[in-house]
Amino acid sequence: MHRLPTTFQVDGTAIRTRRKELGLSRDDCATGAGISGPYLSQLENGARRDMRPPTYTRLRSVLDVPADDTRLLAPTEEPRRKEPDARPEGAPRRDEDG
């Protein structure tokens, strides 16, 4: 059974870019999505990133972004890979001359 995430991490820059592409004011976009203007501002400026699924769905609808389009979501960070010759974290540095 497929379950929706409890929150979506959104990309504020992508939201602002799409809103401007459509010629929507911040207030018109916020009203259409059923959220406050200050909340949308915080999302666009990166002060907030989490959105609940119903709110994200309404915002996506106002911005005319299909359900399978992930452009409004924050990029997922890939886990860091250790360099094969890197020293372990916290290990003392070796003297190259020694």
Side-chain angles (χ1 to χ4, degrees), residues 19-20 22-32 37 40 44 62-63:
R19 176 178 62 77
K20 288 184 175 188
L22 296 173
L24 291 171
S25 71
R26 186 175 288 142
D27 287 338
D28 288 341
C29 182
T31 299
L40 180 57
E44 288 185 351
V62 168
L63 295 176

Side-chain angles (χ1 to χ4, degrees), residues 56 60 65-73:
Y56 175 70
R60 215 183 51 235
V65 174
D68 61 347
D69 189 327
T70 60
R71 75 179 109 168
L72 300 181
L73 297 177

Side-chain angles (χ1 to χ4, degrees), residues 28-98:
D28 288 341
C29 182
T31 299
I35 59 177
S36 70
Y39 177 56
L40 180 57
S41 178
Q42 290 173 348
L43 290 169
E44 288 185 351
N45 292 317
R48 294 183 72 170
R49 293 182 44 159
D50 295 333
M51 293 187 83
R52 291 189 175 154
T55 308
Y56 175 70
T57 299
R58 291 191 310 266
L59 180 64
R60 215 183 51 235
S61 178
V62 168
L63 295 176
D64 197 25
V65 174
D68 61 347
D69 189 327
T70 60
R71 75 179 109 168
L72 300 181
L73 297 177
T76 57
E77 293 183 19
E78 294 183 22
R80 288 186 185 180
R81 294 184 315 192
K82 287 189 176 183
E83 297 288 330
D85 59 342
R87 67 183 171 87
E89 191 171 325
R93 294 177 188 247
R94 291 189 309 171
D95 186 2
E96 296 294 326
D97 297 335

